[in-house]
C-alpha cells in the first residue's frame, strides 16, 4: 500500500525480521531487544511468536507428540508500545521470531501485522516476511479458487498459504523449494515450525538476511543462533555475526531429537543445517540498503554500510566539487555521506539541521500552514552555523522533492548565502516493486523534470547527483549483482510492463 503524499517524500522500507533459537526457554526478551535494533525498518506494527521447540524425549507426558503450540503477540505501533513486561513474560519458549512492519501491501490494520500464525492439516507454523511479491494477485486468485480463505491483505499470507498447502504432501525443505519456485519477487523469511527455526532468502538475495551465534561467555560454548535482517540485531544481543544467508538458501536450526540431548549445563543442543535450494542464480542485492535503509553499523553481504556511505560522499566530492564554507547533512540519512564529502573536499563538516528523533509518523495534512509546521517539527536550523555561509547540503536521495524544497527555503531564510545540494545516489526514475514504498513514475521528480529544472524547483544554487558508475564503485559490488531497478528501469525479475535485466531472469 502506498502511503500519503506527506510520508512518501522519503523512501520507506518494507520491514525487519528476526529469529532466535536458544538452549534455554526465554527468547521473548532477546527478540524484543533485537526488534528494537531493527525499528528503523518499520514503525507501523510489531509482533513476536514463540514456541518451546521441544523434542519428544524432553516431554514424556505428551505421549510422543512434539509440542506444536505457538504463542504470539502483535500490535500496532513501535516495539516499546506493543510489548509490556507482562506480554513478554507470557511468551515463554526456546525458539521465536519477530517482525516490525512498514506496509508496501495491505492497509495499516492489526490483521496485517506479523508474524502470521497458520494452522494446517499437520500442525501450525509462524512466518515473518521482509520483501514484496510481484505475482501476489495471481497466486491469491489461484488459492482462493481452491477454497482457501484469507484473513489479511498481505503478500505474506500468500506465501504462508502456499507453504501450508505444500506441507500437506512434502517435508518442510521440499515444501519451501516448491514455494520458492512459485513466488516471484523479494523475500527474506523467518519461519517457526515445531522444533525448527528456518531462515529463507530469495534466490536473488534482494533483501538482506544474516545469521549469528550466541555464546555463553563463562563456559565458552554456543547456546543459540540469531537470524536477522541486519547484523546490529545480533550485536545487540552480544552475539557474533557468522555470515549472510546466501541467496536461494534455507537454514534450519533444530532442537536435538536424540535421547540425552541436553548438555552438561542442562541446556538443549541445537543443530544448524543448510540447504542450497536454488544455486547458480545471479544475485541482485538492493542497492538502497547501502544508500539509505540499513543502519550504518550493519554488515550486509560482506560490506560495512558505514564505509560504503563514506565512499559515496567522497565520490560525490570528486564528481561535484564546489566552493563552500561548510558541509551539512540532512539528518539522519545524509550524515555519513556528508562526512565523506567534507573529508574529501577539505571543507568543514558542521551541522546546520537538527532532527527531532521523537516525532512520530506523519499523516495527511490538508492545509499548507499545517504541512509546513510538520516539517519544522522534524527539523530545526542552527542559525549560527549557516548564517552568511555557503552550505553544501548532503542527502541520500530525492523522491518528490517537496521536503527538500522546504529545507532549502528554511536554510536561506536563516541566512545561508548559498545552498548547494549533493545527492548520494543517481536520480530515481522508476518505481520499486520489490519492497520499497516509492511513488508512481509521474510523482517522481526526476521523471517529470530535468536536473536543471529540479535545481530551479528546489531553489538550490547547484545540484549534483552521484553517477551510477560512482555509486557502483562506492558499494564495491558488481552491477550484475545489484538490483538497480529504480535507477535504471531494469529489474532482476520479470514485472509486467517493465524491462528485465539481460543478466538476470525469473526462475524456471
Amino acid at each position: 500500500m502506498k502511503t500519503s503524499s506527506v510520508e512518501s517524500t522519503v523512501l520507506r522500507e518494507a520491514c525487519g525480521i528476526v529469529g532466535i533459537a536458544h538452549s534455554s526457554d526465554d527468547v521473548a526478551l532477546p527478540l524484543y531487544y533485537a526488534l528494537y535494533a531493527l525499528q528503523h525498518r518499520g514503525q507501523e506494527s510489531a509482533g513476536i511468536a514463540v514456541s518451546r521447540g521441544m523434542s519428544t524425549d524432553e516431554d514424556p507426558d505428551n505421549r510422543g507428540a512434539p509440542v506444536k503450540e505457538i504463542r504470539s503477540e502483535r500490535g500496532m505501533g513501535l516495539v516499546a508500545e506493543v510489548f509490556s513486561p507482562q506480554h513478554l513474560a507470557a511468551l515463554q519458549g526456546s525458539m521465536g521470531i519477530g517482525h516490525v512492519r512498514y506496509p508496501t501491501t495491505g492497509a495499516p490494520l492489526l490483521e496485517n501485522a506479523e508474524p502470521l500464525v497458520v494452522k494446517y492439516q499437520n500442525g501450525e507454523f509462524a512466518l515473518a516476511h521482509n520483501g514484496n511479491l510481484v505475482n501476489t494477485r495471481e497466486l491469491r486468485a489461484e488459492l482462493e479458487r481452491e477454497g482457501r480463505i484469507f484473513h489479511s491483505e498481505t503478500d505474506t499470507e500468500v506465501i504462508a498459504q502456499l507453504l501450508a498447502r505444500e506441507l500437506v504432501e512434502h517435508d518442510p525443505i521440499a515444501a519451501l523449494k516448491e514455494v520458492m519456485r512459485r513466488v516471484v519477487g523479494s523475500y527474506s523469511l523467518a519461519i517457526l515450525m515445531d522444533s525448527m527455526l528456518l531462515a529463507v532468502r530469495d534466490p536473488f538475495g534482494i533483501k538482506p538476511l544474516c545469521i549469528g551465534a550466541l555464546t555463553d561467555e563463562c563456559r565458552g560454548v554456543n547456546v543459540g543462533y540469531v537470524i536477522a535482517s541486519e547484523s546490529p540485531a545480533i550485536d545487540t544481543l552480544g552475539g557474533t555475526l557468522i555470515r549472510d544467508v546466501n541467496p536461494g538458501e534455507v537454514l534450519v536450526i533444530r532442537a536435538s531429537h536424540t535421547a540425552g540431548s541436553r548438555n552438561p549445563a542442562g541446556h538443549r543442543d541445537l543443530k544448524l543445517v543448510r540447504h542450497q535450494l536454488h544455486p547458480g542464480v545471479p544475485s541482485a542485492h538492493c542497492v538502497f540498503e547501502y544508500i539509505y535503509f540499513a543502519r550504518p553499523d550493519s554488515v550486509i553481504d560482506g560490506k560495512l554500510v558505514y564505509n560504503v556511505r563514506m565512499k559515496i560522499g567522497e565520490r560525490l566530492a570528486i564528481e561535484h566539487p564546489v566552493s563552500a564554507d561548510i558541509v551539512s547533512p540532512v539528518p539522519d540519512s545524509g550524515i555519513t555521506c556528508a562526512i565523506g564529502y567534507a573529508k574529501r573536499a577539505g571543507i568543514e563538516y558542521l551541522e546546520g539541521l537538527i532532527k527531532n528523533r521523537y516525532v512520530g509518523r506523519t499523516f495527511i495534512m490538508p492545509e499548507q500552514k499545517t504541512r509546513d509546521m510538520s516539517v519544522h517539527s522534524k527539523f530545526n536550523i542552527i542559525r549560527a552555523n549557516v548564517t552568511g555561509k555557503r552550505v553544501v547540503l548532503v542527502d541520500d536521495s530525492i523522491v518528490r522533492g517537496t521536503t527538500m524544497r522546504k529545507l532549502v527555503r528554511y536554510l536561506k531564510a536563516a541566512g545561508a548565502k548559498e545552498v548547494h545540494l549533493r545527492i548520494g545516489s543517481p536520480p530515481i526514475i522508476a518505481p520499486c516493486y520489490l519492497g520499497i514504498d516509492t511513488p508512481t513514475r509521474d510523482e517522481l521528480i526526476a521523471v517529470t523534470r530535468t536536473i536543471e529544472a529540479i535545481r530551479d524547483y528546489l531553489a538550490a544554487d547547484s545540484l549534483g547527483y552521484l553517477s551510477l558508475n560512482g555509486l557502483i564503485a562506492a558499494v564495491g559490488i558488481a552491477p550484475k549483482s545489484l538490483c538497480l531497478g529504480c535507477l535504471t528501469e531494469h529489474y532482476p525479475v520479470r514485472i509486467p510492463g517493465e524491462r528485465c535485466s539481460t543478466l538476470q531472469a525469473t526462475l524456471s
Side-chain angles (χ1 to χ4, degrees), residues 159-307:
I159 298 174
Q161 291 274 21
L162 281 173
L163 180 57
R165 183 179 70 180
E166 297 302 327
L167 283 170
V168 174
E169 298 182 1
H170 303 291
D171 65 77
I173 299 304
L176 280 170
K177 187 171 185 177
E178 180 61 21
V179 170
M180 294 171 76
R181 188 185 70 81
R182 295 297 313 280
V183 299
V184 179
S186 67
Y187 52 92
S188 286
L189 307 175
I191 304 172
L192 185 63
M193 184 185 303
D194 294 339
S195 58
M196 293 184 294
L197 171 65
L198 299 98
V200 184
R201 195 175 184 192
D202 73 68
F204 299 104
I206 298 172
K207 292 299 173 187
L209 192 63
C210 59
I211 181 168
L214 299 174
T215 303
D216 184 319
E217 295 181 0
C218 296
R219 295 182 292 117
V221 297
N222 181 15
V223 294
Y225 293 98
V226 183
I227 58 172
S229 294
E230 295 183 41
S231 59
I234 298 170
D235 300 334
T236 296
L237 303 180
T240 302
L241 175 65
I242 298 174
R243 63 175 176 87
D244 295 279
V245 178
N246 293 325
E249 184 179 45
V250 175
L251 298 181
V252 181
I253 304 164
R254 185 193 299 268
S256 174
H257 282 252
T258 60
S261 62
R262 288 183 180 269
N263 59 42
H267 296 307
R268 291 183 201 87
D269 290 326
L270 298 170
K271 295 182 179 180
L272 172 62
V273 180
R274 67 177 299 269
H275 301 268
Q276 187 65 49
L277 298 190
H278 291 282
V281 178
S283 62
H285 308 309
C286 174
V287 74
F288 261 91
E289 292 288 346
Y290 301 98
I291 297 170
Y292 172 67
F293 294 130
R295 284 175 43 157
D297 52 338
S298 290
V299 177
I300 296 181
D301 293 301
K303 304 291 182 181
L304 176 61
V305 173
Y306 187 93
N307 288 345

Side-chain angles (χ1 to χ4, degrees), residues 120-196:
Y120 68 106
Q121 182 174 316
N122 299 331
E124 64 179 350
F125 63 86
L127 184 147
H129 169 217
N130 173 31
N132 200 60
L133 303 186
V134 299
N135 62 337
T136 298
R137 185 177 300 176
E138 297 86 346
L139 292 174
R140 182 171 178 132
E142 173 188 319
L143 290 163
E144 287 177 335
R145 285 195 296 271
E146 295 177 1
R148 297 185 178 272
I149 298 173
F150 285 79
H151 302 282
S152 75
E153 303 170 343
T154 66
D155 52 357
T156 303
E157 191 173 7
V158 170
I159 298 174
Q161 291 274 21
L162 281 173
L163 180 57
R165 183 179 70 180
E166 297 302 327
L167 283 170
V168 174
E169 298 182 1
H170 303 291
D171 65 77
I173 299 304
L176 280 170
K177 187 171 185 177
E178 180 61 21
V179 170
M180 294 171 76
R181 188 185 70 81
R182 295 297 313 280
V183 299
V184 179
S186 67
Y187 52 92
S188 286
L189 307 175
I191 304 172
L192 185 63
M193 184 185 303
D194 294 339
S195 58
M196 293 184 294

